[in-house]
Amino acid sequence: MRELVVLGTGSQVPSRERSQNGYFLRWDSEGFLFDPGEGTQRQMLYAGVPATAITRLCVTHFHGDHCLGVPGIVQRLSLDDVQHPVHAHYPASGQDYFTRLRYAASFYERADLREEPIDEDGLLSVGSFGQLWVRRLEHSVESFGYQLVEPDGRRMLPEELARYGVAGPAVGRLQQSGSIVVDGRTVTIQQVSEPRLGQRFAFVMDTRLCEGVFKLADGADMLVIESTYLSSERELATAFGHLTARQAARVAQECGVRKLVLTHFSQRYTEPERFHEEAAAEFSGEIVVAADLTRTAVPTRR
Protein backbone atom coordinates (compact mmCIF):
# COMPACT_ATOMS: atom_id res chain seq x y z
CA MET A 1 0.00 0.00 0.00
CA ARG A 2 1.23 3.47 -0.86
CA GLU A 3 -0.85 6.32 0.48
CA LEU A 4 -0.57 9.65 2.23
CA VAL A 5 -2.41 10.15 5.51
CA VAL A 6 -2.73 13.85 6.30
CA LEU A 7 -2.70 14.43 10.05
CA GLY A 8 -2.69 18.23 10.09
CA THR A 9 -2.79 21.06 7.56
CA GLY A 10 -2.57 24.34 9.46
CA SER A 11 0.35 26.75 9.32
CA GLN A 12 1.75 28.49 12.39
CA VAL A 13 -1.06 27.75 14.86
CA PRO A 14 -3.88 25.18 15.11
CA SER A 15 -7.45 26.27 14.54
CA ARG A 16 -10.87 24.74 15.13
CA GLU A 17 -10.72 23.23 11.65
CA ARG A 18 -7.04 22.43 11.27
CA SER A 19 -4.35 20.88 13.45
CA GLN A 20 -0.73 21.80 12.98
CA ASN A 21 1.25 19.92 10.36
CA GLY A 22 1.70 16.17 10.26
CA TYR A 23 1.94 13.79 7.29
CA PHE A 24 2.31 10.02 7.28
CA LEU A 25 3.35 8.23 4.09
CA ARG A 26 2.73 4.49 3.88
CA TRP A 27 5.20 3.11 1.35
CA ASP A 28 4.96 -0.68 1.30
CA SER A 29 6.51 -1.81 4.59
CA GLU A 30 7.94 1.64 5.38
CA GLY A 31 6.25 4.48 7.22
CA PHE A 32 7.56 8.04 6.83
CA LEU A 33 6.30 10.59 9.36
CA PHE A 34 6.95 14.12 8.09
CA ASP A 35 6.92 17.30 10.18
CA PRO A 36 4.93 16.28 13.26
CA GLY A 37 3.48 19.45 14.72
CA GLU A 38 1.64 19.85 17.99
CA GLY A 39 -1.14 17.29 18.38
CA THR A 40 0.24 14.75 15.89
CA GLN A 41 0.06 11.87 18.34
CA ARG A 42 -3.69 12.43 18.84
CA GLN A 43 -4.30 12.84 15.11
CA MET A 44 -2.55 9.50 14.52
CA LEU A 45 -5.09 7.92 16.86
CA TYR A 46 -7.99 9.35 14.86
CA ALA A 47 -6.35 8.26 11.59
CA GLY A 48 -5.58 4.74 12.75
CA VAL A 49 -1.82 5.15 12.37
CA PRO A 50 0.04 3.29 15.14
CA ALA A 51 3.48 4.33 16.32
CA THR A 52 4.71 0.89 15.29
CA ALA A 53 4.12 1.88 11.63
CA ILE A 54 6.77 4.62 11.78
CA THR A 55 10.17 3.71 10.36
CA ARG A 56 11.47 7.21 9.57
CA LEU A 57 10.89 10.60 11.17
CA CYS A 58 11.62 13.44 8.74
CA VAL A 59 11.68 17.09 9.87
CA THR A 60 12.10 19.83 7.27
CA HIS A 61 12.97 22.64 9.69
CA PHE A 62 12.60 23.74 13.29
CA HIS A 63 9.65 26.08 13.33
CA GLY A 64 7.19 24.93 15.96
CA ASP A 65 4.33 24.00 13.64
CA HIS A 66 6.63 21.43 12.02
CA CYS A 67 8.29 19.88 15.07
CA LEU A 68 6.45 20.45 18.37
CA GLY A 69 4.94 16.97 18.07
CA VAL A 70 8.37 15.32 18.14
CA PRO A 71 8.46 14.80 21.96
CA GLY A 72 5.17 12.90 21.99
CA ILE A 73 6.13 10.77 18.99
CA VAL A 74 9.56 9.91 20.42
CA GLN A 75 8.11 8.92 23.77
CA ARG A 76 5.32 6.92 22.13
CA LEU A 77 7.88 4.84 20.25
CA SER A 78 9.25 3.68 23.59
CA LEU A 79 5.88 3.38 25.31
CA ASP A 80 4.61 1.11 22.51
CA ASP A 81 7.88 -0.83 22.53
CA VAL A 82 8.56 -0.37 18.82
CA GLN A 83 10.99 -3.15 17.94
CA HIS A 84 12.51 -1.87 14.71
CA PRO A 85 14.98 1.03 14.38
CA VAL A 86 13.46 4.42 13.56
CA HIS A 87 15.69 6.81 11.62
CA ALA A 88 15.36 10.51 12.40
CA HIS A 89 16.32 13.08 9.72
CA TYR A 90 16.49 16.83 10.34
CA PRO A 91 18.76 19.80 9.54
CA ALA A 92 22.07 19.39 11.35
CA SER A 93 22.06 23.10 12.17
CA GLY A 94 19.09 22.40 14.46
CA GLN A 95 20.79 19.66 16.48
CA ASP A 96 20.24 21.53 19.76
CA TYR A 97 16.54 21.85 18.99
CA PHE A 98 16.16 18.17 18.18
CA THR A 99 18.00 17.14 21.34
CA ARG A 100 15.72 19.33 23.45
CA LEU A 101 12.64 17.94 21.72
CA ARG A 102 13.81 14.36 22.09
CA TYR A 103 14.41 14.78 25.81
CA ALA A 104 11.73 17.35 26.58
CA ALA A 105 10.43 15.29 29.50
CA SER A 106 11.45 12.32 31.59
CA PHE A 107 10.59 8.89 30.13
CA TYR A 108 11.94 5.36 29.95
CA GLU A 109 13.69 5.27 26.60
CA ARG A 110 13.52 1.84 24.97
CA ALA A 111 13.08 2.62 21.28
CA ASP A 112 16.04 2.52 18.90
CA LEU A 113 15.91 6.06 17.48
CA ARG A 114 18.86 6.66 15.18
CA GLU A 115 19.62 10.31 14.52
CA GLU A 116 20.83 11.04 10.99
CA PRO A 117 21.06 14.84 10.64
CA ILE A 118 21.27 16.51 7.24
CA ASP A 119 24.35 18.57 6.35
CA GLU A 120 23.89 19.14 2.63
CA ASP A 121 21.90 18.37 -0.50
CA GLY A 122 22.06 14.90 -1.96
CA LEU A 123 21.32 11.25 -1.37
CA LEU A 124 20.41 10.71 2.28
CA SER A 125 19.57 7.02 2.54
CA VAL A 126 19.04 3.86 0.50
CA GLY A 127 16.76 0.99 1.51
CA SER A 128 14.03 -1.35 0.38
CA PHE A 129 11.93 1.74 -0.34
CA GLY A 130 14.43 3.05 -2.88
CA GLN A 131 16.40 6.26 -2.41
CA LEU A 132 15.70 9.16 -0.06
CA TRP A 133 17.05 12.49 -1.34
CA VAL A 134 17.08 15.93 0.27
CA ARG A 135 17.30 19.39 -1.27
CA ARG A 136 17.84 22.72 0.42
CA LEU A 137 14.89 25.10 0.40
CA GLU A 138 14.70 28.86 0.95
CA HIS A 139 13.06 29.88 4.21
CA SER A 140 13.82 32.11 7.19
CA VAL A 141 15.63 29.20 8.86
CA GLU A 142 17.52 26.32 7.26
CA SER A 143 15.03 23.98 5.66
CA PHE A 144 15.22 20.84 3.51
CA GLY A 145 12.65 19.05 1.36
CA TYR A 146 12.50 15.30 0.83
CA GLN A 147 12.21 13.18 -2.30
CA LEU A 148 11.57 9.43 -2.35
CA VAL A 149 12.71 7.71 -5.56
CA GLU A 150 11.96 4.11 -6.43
CA PRO A 151 14.38 2.59 -8.98
CA ASP A 152 12.97 1.75 -12.39
CA GLY A 153 12.04 -1.88 -12.85
CA ARG A 154 10.30 -4.17 -15.30
CA ARG A 155 6.68 -5.28 -15.65
CA MET A 156 6.20 -8.95 -16.52
CA LEU A 157 3.86 -9.61 -19.47
CA PRO A 158 1.67 -12.69 -18.84
CA GLU A 159 0.99 -13.32 -22.52
CA GLU A 160 4.71 -13.30 -23.35
CA LEU A 161 5.53 -15.53 -20.38
CA ALA A 162 2.97 -18.02 -21.65
CA ARG A 163 4.29 -17.79 -25.21
CA TYR A 164 7.81 -18.65 -24.08
CA GLY A 165 6.66 -21.30 -21.59
CA VAL A 166 7.87 -19.51 -18.47
CA ALA A 167 5.68 -20.31 -15.47
CA GLY A 168 5.75 -20.89 -11.72
CA PRO A 169 9.14 -20.66 -9.97
CA ALA A 170 10.84 -20.09 -13.33
CA VAL A 171 9.45 -16.53 -13.37
CA GLY A 172 11.31 -15.70 -10.17
CA ARG A 173 14.53 -17.26 -11.47
CA LEU A 174 14.23 -15.21 -14.65
CA GLN A 175 13.70 -11.99 -12.69
CA GLN A 176 16.74 -12.75 -10.56
CA SER A 177 19.18 -13.90 -13.23
CA GLY A 178 17.95 -12.03 -16.32
CA SER A 179 17.75 -15.16 -18.48
CA ILE A 180 16.89 -18.85 -18.19
CA VAL A 181 16.78 -21.88 -20.47
CA VAL A 182 13.30 -23.25 -21.23
CA ASP A 183 12.94 -26.37 -23.42
CA GLY A 184 16.41 -25.91 -24.80
CA ARG A 185 16.19 -22.21 -25.69
CA THR A 186 17.30 -19.13 -23.80
CA VAL A 187 14.61 -16.72 -22.70
CA THR A 188 15.68 -13.22 -21.59
CA ILE A 189 13.74 -10.92 -19.31
CA GLN A 190 13.55 -8.33 -22.11
CA GLN A 191 11.51 -10.79 -24.18
CA VAL A 192 8.79 -11.25 -21.57
CA SER A 193 8.63 -7.84 -19.83
CA GLU A 194 8.59 -4.11 -20.43
CA PRO A 195 10.20 -1.19 -18.58
CA ARG A 196 8.29 0.11 -15.55
CA LEU A 197 9.09 3.53 -14.16
CA GLY A 198 9.74 3.68 -10.46
CA GLN A 199 7.46 5.90 -8.42
CA ARG A 200 8.46 9.26 -6.97
CA PHE A 201 7.15 11.17 -3.98
CA ALA A 202 8.15 14.72 -3.02
CA PHE A 203 7.56 16.66 0.20
CA VAL A 204 8.09 20.43 0.11
CA MET A 205 7.30 22.64 3.07
CA ASP A 206 8.10 26.22 3.99
CA THR A 207 10.01 27.87 1.16
CA ARG A 208 10.05 30.54 -1.50
CA LEU A 209 10.38 29.44 -5.09
CA CYS A 210 13.93 28.17 -5.54
CA GLU A 211 15.92 25.56 -7.43
CA GLY A 212 15.40 22.98 -4.71
CA VAL A 213 11.63 23.07 -5.13
CA PHE A 214 11.87 22.16 -8.81
CA LYS A 215 14.46 19.43 -8.25
CA LEU A 216 12.29 17.80 -5.61
CA ALA A 217 9.12 17.99 -7.70
CA ASP A 218 10.70 16.71 -10.92
CA GLY A 219 8.67 13.78 -12.22
CA ALA A 220 6.84 13.23 -8.93
CA ASP A 221 3.84 10.93 -8.94
CA MET A 222 2.71 12.78 -5.82
CA LEU A 223 3.87 16.22 -4.70
CA VAL A 224 2.91 17.36 -1.21
CA ILE A 225 3.62 21.07 -1.09
CA GLU A 226 2.85 24.06 1.06
CA SER A 227 0.52 26.70 -0.34
CA THR A 228 0.24 28.97 2.66
CA TYR A 229 -1.25 31.89 0.73
CA LEU A 230 -3.38 32.72 -2.27
CA SER A 231 -1.90 34.95 -4.96
CA SER A 232 -3.61 38.02 -3.52
CA GLU A 233 -1.04 37.78 -0.68
CA ARG A 234 1.97 36.88 -2.83
CA GLU A 235 4.02 39.72 -1.36
CA LEU A 236 3.49 38.28 2.11
CA ALA A 237 4.45 34.86 0.78
CA THR A 238 7.74 36.17 -0.55
CA ALA A 239 8.48 38.19 2.56
CA PHE A 240 7.93 35.25 4.94
CA GLY A 241 9.41 32.51 2.76
CA HIS A 242 6.27 30.74 1.57
CA LEU A 243 4.45 29.75 -1.62
CA THR A 244 1.07 30.64 -3.03
CA ALA A 245 -1.29 28.02 -4.42
CA ARG A 246 -0.65 29.35 -7.93
CA GLN A 247 3.12 29.05 -7.51
CA ALA A 248 2.83 25.50 -6.17
CA ALA A 249 0.60 24.53 -9.09
CA ARG A 250 2.98 26.09 -11.61
CA VAL A 251 5.81 23.99 -10.16
CA ALA A 252 3.66 20.86 -10.52
CA GLN A 253 2.81 21.67 -14.13
CA GLU A 254 6.39 22.41 -15.16
CA CYS A 255 7.76 19.32 -13.39
CA GLY A 256 5.28 16.78 -14.76
CA VAL A 257 3.66 15.97 -11.42
CA ARG A 258 0.71 13.57 -11.53
CA LYS A 259 -1.05 14.34 -8.21
CA LEU A 260 -0.71 17.68 -6.43
CA VAL A 261 -1.51 17.83 -2.70
CA LEU A 262 -1.81 21.37 -1.36
CA THR A 263 -1.49 21.97 2.38
CA HIS A 264 -0.11 24.24 5.16
CA PHE A 265 -2.82 26.88 4.89
CA SER A 266 -2.85 30.23 6.64
CA GLN A 267 -5.63 30.49 9.22
CA ARG A 268 -6.88 33.61 7.42
CA TYR A 269 -8.57 31.39 4.80
CA THR A 270 -11.82 29.53 5.51
CA GLU A 271 -12.78 28.50 1.96
CA PRO A 272 -10.58 25.60 0.75
CA GLU A 273 -12.15 25.65 -2.70
CA ARG A 274 -10.33 28.91 -3.42
CA PHE A 275 -7.03 27.03 -3.33
CA HIS A 276 -8.35 24.47 -5.79
CA GLU A 277 -9.60 27.16 -8.16
CA GLU A 278 -6.29 28.98 -8.13
CA ALA A 279 -4.24 25.80 -8.61
CA ALA A 280 -6.49 24.52 -11.42
CA ALA A 281 -5.71 27.63 -13.44
CA GLU A 282 -2.07 26.47 -13.63
CA PHE A 283 -2.09 22.67 -13.24
CA SER A 284 -3.96 20.17 -15.39
CA GLY A 285 -3.43 17.09 -13.22
CA GLU A 286 -5.22 15.82 -10.13
CA ILE A 287 -5.44 18.34 -7.27
CA VAL A 288 -6.10 17.50 -3.63
CA VAL A 289 -6.71 20.36 -1.22
CA ALA A 290 -5.78 18.56 1.96
CA ALA A 291 -7.94 18.57 5.05
CA ASP A 292 -7.10 16.99 8.39
CA LEU A 293 -7.38 13.18 8.19
CA THR A 294 -7.46 13.15 4.39
CA ARG A 295 -6.21 9.88 2.90
CA THR A 296 -5.05 9.86 -0.69
CA ALA A 297 -3.34 7.10 -2.65
CA VAL A 298 -0.08 7.52 -4.51
CA PRO A 299 -1.03 7.17 -8.20
CA THR A 300 -0.63 3.66 -9.56
CA ARG A 301 2.53 2.86 -11.49
CA ARG A 302 2.61 3.89 -15.12
Side-chain angles (χ1 to χ4, degrees):
M1 176 181 290
R2 295 183 178 182
E3 70 168 355
L4 177 73
V5 182
V6 179
L7 302 170
T9 57
S11 69
Q12 195 171 45
V13 297
S15 67
R16 286 185 174 88
E17 295 78 26
R18 299 184 181 278
S19 293
Q20 284 189 344
N21 291 281
Y23 310 86
F24 180 76
L25 176 67
R26 298 184 190 275
W27 190 272
D28 301 335
S29 61
E30 297 282 334
F32 295 78
L33 179 61
F34 294 94
D35 280 8
E38 182 182 344
T40 293
Q41 187 179 180
R42 191 162 185 262
Q43 293 296 94
M44 286 171 59
L45 179 65
Y46 283 128
V49 177
T52 53
I54 301 170
T55 58
R56 290 183 184 265
L57 171 61
C58 302
V59 177
T60 59
H61 66 290
F62 286 101
H63 278 157
D65 55 331
H66 296 261
C67 68
L68 286 179
V70 168
I73 296 301
V74 168
Q75 294 188 29
R76 190 62 180 267
L77 296 174
S78 287
L79 180 65
D80 289 3
D81 197 21
V82 173
Q83 294 296 303
H84 55 259
V86 175
H87 303 265
H89 306 294
Y90 52 87
S93 59
Q95 181 64 62
D96 287 347
Y97 292 123
F98 190 85
T99 301
R100 292 173 198 161
L101 290 165
R102 180 173 182 175
Y103 298 109
S106 176
F107 70 106
Y108 178 39
E109 187 171 25
R110 295 189 294 173
D112 182 6
L113 183 65
R114 302 181 181 181
E115 298 185 22
E116 299 177 13
I118 305 164
D119 288 306
E120 59 186 4
D121 286 20
L123 181 61
L124 184 61
S125 185
V126 177
S128 60
F129 51 85
Q131 300 175 336
L132 183 63
W133 292 76
V134 291
R135 300 290 183 187
R136 192 179 303 275
L137 299 174
E138 190 175 309
H139 194 43
S140 55
V141 298
E142 187 173 48
S143 182
F144 289 90
Y146 294 87
Q147 181 191 52
L148 190 58
V149 179
E150 178 186 38
D152 295 341
R154 300 196 70 86
R155 181 181 292 107
M156 305 306 289
L157 302 174
E159 64 278 9
E160 294 302 315
L161 289 169
R163 187 160 74 91
Y164 284 95
V166 182
V171 176
R173 295 198 300 270
L174 176 59
Q175 289 175 315
Q176 185 173 15
S177 65
S179 66
I180 58 172
V181 176
V182 179
D183 295 333
R185 65 175 176 177
T186 299
V187 179
T188 66
I189 195 166
Q190 289 80 11
Q191 291 172 306
V192 295
S193 66
E194 63 184 8
R196 184 201 69 201
L197 294 176
Q199 289 186 310
R200 292 189 175 203
F201 170 87
F203 186 80
V204 177
M205 282 296 118
D206 299 15
T207 184
R208 300 178 185 90
L209 279 180
C210 63
E211 183 180 8
V213 174
F214 290 92
K215 285 186 175 180
L216 291 164
D218 185 35
D221 294 280
M222 177 183 284
L223 169 63
V224 180
I225 188 168
E226 70 117 315
S227 57
T228 308
Y229 297 102
L230 294 172
S231 291
S232 53
E233 282 76 44
R234 59 184 175 276
E235 291 183 2
L236 281 178
T238 300
F240 291 108
H242 287 291
L243 298 173
T244 67
R246 186 176 296 275
Q247 288 173 326
R250 191 177 305 137
V251 169
Q253 186 68 26
E254 292 183 14
C255 292
V257 169
R258 297 174 67 196
K259 180 182 284 190
L260 171 64
V261 181
L262 300 176
T263 187
H264 193 273
F265 307 109
S266 168
Q267 61 269 26
R268 74 183 62 213
Y269 303 111
T270 58
E271 299 171 313
E273 61 273 13
R274 296 175 64 192
F275 286 87
H276 190 284
E277 291 169 2
E278 184 164 299
E282 296 285 343
F283 178 61
S284 59
E286 182 179 356
I287 300 170
V288 176
V289 178
D292 288 16
L293 306 183
T294 293
R295 308 176 89 95
T296 184
V298 177
T300 56
R301 290 186 176 94
R302 298 187 233 207

